[in-house]
């Protein structure tokens, strides 16, 4: 339900702070572990959760999320098992918005109406579809709207003023600003150049603006949290899964530990104490 | 199901959204959308500009070596005992395949757009070589993404690209073949939006690529048409071409689509066989989906994950197909047959022995279906097949398949 997203951003606004949005891949490295990650994220400070569903050909992803996708597929994760994961998470948490993020073909394969219905039943709140620009998104938007799911649009540094109205049309919940021209986890986002873009988007969409694609550290997340309504961190978190697997540690513990550090930084970013420094 | 949509004029497709019926479109990340729109506008402008066409024609004549001959394959015709078989000799083009037709058109467009860095993907290496060639000719840096598996099985072409000054970047993601190379090229483009032109080698990808590549390759079919009218005084009964992404095929087919009497026949690679999971026949063995910017037929599992294709021919080893072929398949205007690795090898040897022409393994797939077609159409009929590339690059693969060491 898209209302969870609105409620969460309203609460954050009242508290005067930005949201921390971790991105994790469903089924990375397996469904049980990723359920433990999901269940641990709200306590680690996640305000919303972006849950990737794997695709064999993730064209907008850098190496970390490509590998996460491969690990998830190797564990036989599908779009439907991703929805089951959300359903299991919802049994314990009915407030934290869950946004699915991925590519169009698995959605088409399941069928857009059927996906929307099953996603709503599972407790999903919105969807980010990387390879479905506004020009191609009417069918998807119809299906999601019918089930009160938010279609969250991506705006990028190449989105000019002429395209902006088309990009924000039919977007709900929030807008996602891709802060770098590049794949996920490659370049670093500069808060100075992000700030004016966030302002333009807020004015055009009249919705909160989340920023992602170039945020790896607590420091950078805090810098982004000062200028945007939410900071999304993905590649750095899925890299923790890879590191844990390599060293024989518990992936869930490592992901949640880094998530906690970033959450603290994001939540303190706009505090008066921080401002005074 | 609705009656398939058959346009009166196939030249009217794609529509303004880049669609051929339900296929095609522009399924790219938002970062690339403004670039794709810019390319569409730039290509429309160039297409309408006589000076662009004149420049392109000049290079096609003096650099590529067009028109390519239409050759009566007399001994192959006698061997099969049916319709007359003509070869459209695209393997005689500079760089040895049809790929250069498209590269020449796109490099002139890239220059016109002021782009200073060229990226390309390649499977067999033919498009990579053609891209490296035109980049050398115009002094532009060229980066070619190539699956690591293909780098290994197409070493001569990798060396050729290096000699031409291109950087070949092996891609190790996925199955390390053509689709992964295309993913990696898209990732490069997303990260270098200011100066980079993506020179796609086949009639697939987001609009306007399928239409643009088709237009640049249509010189094949147009010349074939003119040459047959001159030599035979008639149109062919059938035109035949191999289909991976489908650029030589759509170039051969398109000028004949409005001639309802001409059968249009594409040949997909069925690898170890259609009943195995090792083939590359997207139309025969796949279903519609979205990959690499377009909606088309894809090899995919029940969850919509793209499957690895297999073909002995690296150039056909792709789990998708250009969207116009998907449309021609559904509308019934074209027929798509298939050919296994083993059949392609036989046709490869036959063509070499009977005609003194070593065809590319890709091309051998089209040749392999000529026997049945020639007999079915019968003596007095005429078939034109696109001899899309020469087979020098494949001698190691073929030797390996025949159990010989070079």
């Amino acid at each position: 339900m898209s209302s969870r997203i609105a409620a969460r951003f309203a609460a954050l606004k009242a508290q005067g702070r930005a949201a921390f949005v971790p991105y994790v891949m469903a089924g990375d490295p397996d469904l049980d572990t990723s359920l433990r990650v999901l269940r641990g994220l709200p306590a680690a400070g996640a305000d919303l959760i972006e849950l990737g569903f794997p695709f064999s050909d993730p064209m907008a992803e850098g190496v970390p999320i490509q590998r996460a996708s491969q690990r998830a597929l190797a564990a036989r994760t599908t779009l439907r098992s991703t929805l089951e994961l959300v359903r299991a998470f919802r049994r314990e948490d009915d407030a934290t918005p869950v946004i699915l993020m991925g590519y169009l073909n698995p959605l088409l394969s399941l069928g857009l109406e059927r996906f929307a219905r099953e996603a709503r039943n599972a407790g999903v709140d919105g969807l980010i579809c990387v390879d479905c620009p506004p020009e191609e998104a009417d069918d998807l938007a119809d299906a999601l709207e019918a089930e009160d799911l938010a279609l969250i649009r991506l705006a990028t540094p190449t989105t000019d003023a002429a395209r902006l109205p088309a990009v924000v049309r039919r977007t709900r919940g929030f807008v996602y600003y891709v802060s770098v021209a590049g794949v996920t986890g490659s370049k670093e986002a500069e808060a100075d150049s992000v700030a004016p873009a966030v302002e333009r988007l807020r004015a055009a969409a009249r919705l909160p603006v989340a920023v992602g694609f170039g945020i790896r550290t607590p420091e950078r997340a805090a810098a982004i949290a000062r200028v945007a309504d939410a900071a999304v961190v993905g590649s750095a978190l899925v890299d923790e899964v890879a590191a844990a697997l390599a060293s024989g540690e518990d992936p869930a513990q490592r992901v949640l530990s880094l998530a906690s550090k970033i959450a603290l930084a994001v939540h303190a970013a706009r505090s008066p104490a921080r401002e005074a420094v | 199901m609705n009656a398939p949509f058959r346009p009166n004029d196939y030249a009217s497709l794609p529509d303004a959204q880049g669609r051929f019926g339900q296929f095609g479109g522009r399924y790219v990340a938002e970062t690339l959308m403004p670039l794709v729109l810019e390319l569409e506008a730039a290509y429309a402008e160039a297409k309408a500009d006589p000076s662009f066409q004149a420049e392109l024609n000049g290079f096609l004549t003096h650099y590529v070596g067009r028109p390519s001959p239409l050759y009566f394959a007399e001994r192959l015709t006698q061997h099969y005992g049916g319709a007359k078989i003509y070869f459209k000799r695209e393997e005689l083009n500079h760089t040895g395949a049809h790929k250069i037709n498209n590269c020449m058109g796109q490099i002139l467009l890239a220059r016109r757009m002021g782009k200073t860095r060229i990226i390309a993907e390649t499977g067999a290496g033919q498009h990579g070589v053609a891209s490296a060639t035109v980049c050398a000719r115009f002094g532009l840096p060229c980066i070619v993404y190539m699956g690591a598996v293909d780098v290994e099985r197409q070493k001569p072409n990798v060396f050729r690209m290096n000699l031409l000054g291109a950087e070949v970047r092996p891609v190790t993601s996925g199955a390390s073949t053509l689709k992964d190379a295309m993913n990696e090229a898209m990732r490069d483009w997303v990260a270098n939006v200011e100066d980079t032109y993506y020179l796609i080698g086949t009639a697939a990808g987001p609009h306007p690529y399928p239409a643009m590549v088709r237009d640049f390759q249509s010189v094949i079919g147009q010349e074939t048409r003119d040459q047959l009218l001159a030599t035979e005084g008639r149109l062919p009964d059938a035109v035949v071409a191999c289909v991976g992404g489908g650029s030589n095929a759509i170039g051969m087919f398109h000028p004949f689509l409005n001639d309802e009497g001409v059968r249009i026949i594409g040949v997909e690679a069925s690898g170890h066989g259609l009943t195995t999971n090792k083939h590359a026949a997207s139309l025969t063995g796949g279903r519609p989906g979205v990959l690499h910017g377009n909606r088309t037929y894809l090899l995919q599992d029940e969850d919509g994950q793209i499957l690895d294709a297999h073909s002995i021919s690296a150039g056909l080893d792709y789990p998708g197909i250009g969207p116009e072929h998907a449309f021609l398949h559904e509308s019934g205007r074209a027929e798509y047959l298939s050919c296994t690795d083993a059949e392609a090898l036989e046709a490869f040897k036959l063509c070499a022995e009977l005609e003194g022409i070593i065809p590319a393994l890709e091309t051998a797939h089209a040749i392999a279906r000529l026997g049945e077609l020639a007999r079915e159409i019968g003596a007095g009929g005429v078939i034109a097949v696109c001899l899309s590339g020469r087979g020098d690059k494949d001698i190691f693969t073929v030797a390996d398949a025949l159990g010989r060491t070079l």
Side-chain angles (χ1 to χ4, degrees):
Chain A
M1 294 181 300
S2 60
S3 56
R4 275 194 206 98
I5 303 172
R8 181 51 54 100
F9 274 107
L12 288 162
K13 191 172 183 182
Q15 296 167 38
R17 63 183 183 87
F20 166 52
V21 185
Y23 167 101
V24 291
M25 173 64 72
D28 176 24
D30 56 67
L31 286 163
D32 289 344
T33 308
S34 74
L35 180 57
R36 283 195 291 127
V37 170
L38 280 187
R39 285 183 168 156
L41 279 173
D47 300 298
L48 294 84
I49 296 171
E50 269 183 35
L51 182 62
F53 54 95
F55 182 49
S56 51
D57 295 79
M59 280 167 292
E61 314 299 344
V63 170
I65 295 178
Q66 287 176 43
R67 292 202 174 136
S69 218
Q70 289 301 320
R71 290 192 296 269
L73 288 173
R76 303 191 173 279
T77 309
T78 62
L79 180 55
R80 300 192 77 176
S81 60
T82 301
L83 295 177
E84 287 310 308
L85 197 60
V86 178
R87 190 187 306 278
F89 170 77
R90 275 279 169 258
R91 284 188 206 114
E92 298 186 358
D93 185 316
D94 197 36
T96 309
V98 174
I99 317 298
L100 295 188
M101 183 163 182
Y103 292 77
L104 186 57
N105 203 51
L107 304 174
L108 289 174
S109 188
L110 186 58
L112 297 179
E113 284 81 18
R114 185 168 168 195
F115 161 73
R117 196 171 59 244
E118 293 187 11
R120 180 194 171 122
N121 289 339
V124 170
D125 303 288
L127 172 76
I128 301 170
C129 186
V130 180
D131 56 350
C132 193
E135 283 81 352
E136 305 288 356
D138 280 343
D139 291 350
L140 181 59
D142 289 346
L144 294 181
E145 273 175 22
E147 298 293 339
D148 189 29
L149 294 173
L151 176 58
I152 291 143
R153 282 275 162 72
L154 301 162
T156 73
T158 59
T159 307
D160 56 23
R163 276 189 66 70
L164 204 48
V167 167
V168 300
R169 195 178 67 88
R170 300 190 81 176
T171 196
R172 296 173 64 193
F174 62 94
V175 188
Y176 190 125
Y177 182 62
V178 174
S179 60
V180 296
V183 295
T184 48
S186 53
K187 305 173 184 172
E188 285 194 303
E190 297 297 337
D192 290 351
S193 61
V194 166
V198 168
E199 283 310 317
R200 269 199 307 279
L201 263 183
R202 262 196 206 119
R206 298 173 184 282
L207 285 171
V209 176
V211 173
F213 266 53
I215 310 173
R216 290 193 67 89
T217 62
E219 295 71 29
R220 197 154 302 259
I224 294 295
R226 275 173 224 126
V227 300
D229 302 299
V232 185
V233 178
S235 297
L237 291 174
V238 305
D239 272 347
E240 290 298 302
V241 176
L245 292 172
S247 64
E249 295 166 81
D250 175 19
Q253 207 169 9
R254 278 196 71 148
V255 171
L256 294 171
S257 162
L258 179 60
S260 301
K261 290 184 190 120
I262 301 170
L264 279 175
V266 168
H267 293 160
R270 293 194 209 156
S271 70
R274 180 67 188 72
E275 297 286 331
V277 171
Chain B
M1 196 175 145
N2 297 330
F5 164 66
R6 292 280 284 261
N8 294 320
D9 179 8
Y10 285 89
S12 68
L13 296 179
D15 66 15
Q17 278 67 51
R19 292 197 173 264
F20 304 88
Q22 63 156 314
F23 300 105
R26 293 173 285 219
Y27 295 90
V28 294
E30 173 60 23
T31 311
L32 290 181
M33 199 61 202
L35 283 78
V36 163
L37 294 172
E38 179 200 4
L39 178 63
E40 183 186 345
Y43 175 57
E45 199 192 305
K47 193 177 173 181
D49 179 353
S51 73
F52 178 81
Q53 291 300 332
E55 188 184 19
L56 175 57
N57 288 339
F59 280 106
L60 289 179
T61 303
H62 302 290
Y63 191 74
V64 174
R66 303 211 69 91
S68 66
L70 184 75
Y71 160 75
F72 173 44
E74 191 176 1
R75 295 195 67 211
L76 198 66
T77 299
Q78 283 167 0
H79 176 80
Y80 287 136
K84 288 174 88 171
I85 295 168
Y86 280 88
F87 285 173
K88 178 60 175 164
R89 303 285 305 274
E90 291 300 300
E91 100 282 9
L92 292 178
N93 294 336
H94 181 39
T95 72
H98 69 288
K99 292 291 187 186
I100 191 94
N101 302 329
N102 167 49
C103 287
M104 190 51 81
Q106 288 201 52
I107 201 77
L108 295 179
L109 181 61
R111 275 160 55 85
R112 190 182 166 102
M113 292 173 73
K115 302 293 181 183
T116 55
R117 178 177 176 269
I118 307 296
I119 58 171
E121 84 293 334
T122 198
Q126 291 305 94
H127 173 60
V129 167
S131 299
T133 298
V134 296
C135 286
R137 171 60 186 79
F138 293 102
L140 292 167
C142 180
I143 291 150
V144 180
Y145 290 95
M146 187 170 187
V149 168
D150 292 335
V151 168
E152 193 49 42
R153 62 178 164 176
Q154 300 288 345
K155 279 180 191 156
N157 272 343
V158 174
F159 187 56
R160 260 180 214 120
M161 287 183 264
N162 290 333
L163 286 175
L164 292 161
E167 181 193 342
V168 179
R169 293 191 183 164
V171 176
T172 54
S173 58
S176 306
T177 59
L178 181 53
K179 95 176 160 76
D180 311 292
M182 204 153 175
N183 290 334
E184 212 53 41
M186 292 268 202
R187 290 179 187 124
D188 180 310
W189 199 21
V190 163
N192 297 284
V193 293
E194 297 300 325
D195 60 352
T196 296
Y197 183 93
Y198 181 17
L199 208 176
I200 294 185
T202 194
H207 180 64
Y209 284 102
M212 178 169 68
V213 175
R214 172 199 74 198
D215 292 349
F216 289 138
Q217 292 293 3
S218 287
V219 66
I220 302 173
Q222 193 54 54
E223 285 178 6
T224 302
R225 197 185 157 87
D226 296 345
Q227 288 163 323
L228 268 180
L229 286 173
T231 57
E232 289 282 338
R234 53 166 291 192
L235 292 174
D237 296 285
V239 289
V240 184
C242 64
V243 191
S247 72
N248 92 87
I250 203 68
M252 183 67 163
F253 296 170
H254 203 259
F256 294 101
L257 290 179
N258 286 338
D259 303 307
E260 289 285 340
V262 178
R263 284 172 68 184
I264 306 288
I265 298 165
V267 183
E268 296 190 289
S270 53
H272 293 187
L274 288 172
T275 53
T276 72
N277 59 4
K278 284 190 163 303
H279 66 79
S282 338
L283 289 177
T284 317
R287 61 190 169 90
V290 166
L291 179 71
H292 293 153
N294 61 145
R295 187 183 182 104
T296 188
Y297 271 71
L298 300 169
L299 300 179
Q300 53 182 316
D301 71 12
E302 59 285 353
D303 187 42
Q305 307 297 337
I306 308 304
L307 297 172
D308 296 328
H310 165 82
S311 169
I312 190 170
S313 129
L316 303 182
D317 201 345
Y318 181 68
I321 186 166
E324 192 163 8
H325 287 293
F327 166 72
L328 293 174
H329 169 68
E330 284 217 337
S331 70
R333 176 64 188 96
E335 306 157 56
Y336 291 87
L337 311 175
S338 65
C339 162
T340 64
D341 288 352
E343 290 173 313
L345 275 169
E346 281 308 310
F348 179 95
K349 288 193 286 181
L350 190 68
C351 185
E353 287 162 12
L354 287 182
E355 294 293 348
I357 295 171
I358 298 178
L361 274 173
E362 290 78 9
T363 313
H365 286 72
I367 298 169
R369 291 280 77 83
L370 291 177
E372 303 102 88
L373 283 169
R375 286 189 288 272
E376 187 186 324
I377 291 166
V382 171
I383 300 173
V385 59
C386 183
L387 232 288
S388 55
R390 69 179 183 218
D392 309 48
K393 69 184 174 60
D394 293 315
I395 56 173
F396 298 101
T397 308
V398 172
D400 194 45
L402 299 176
R404 307 250 280 273
T405 336
L406 296 186

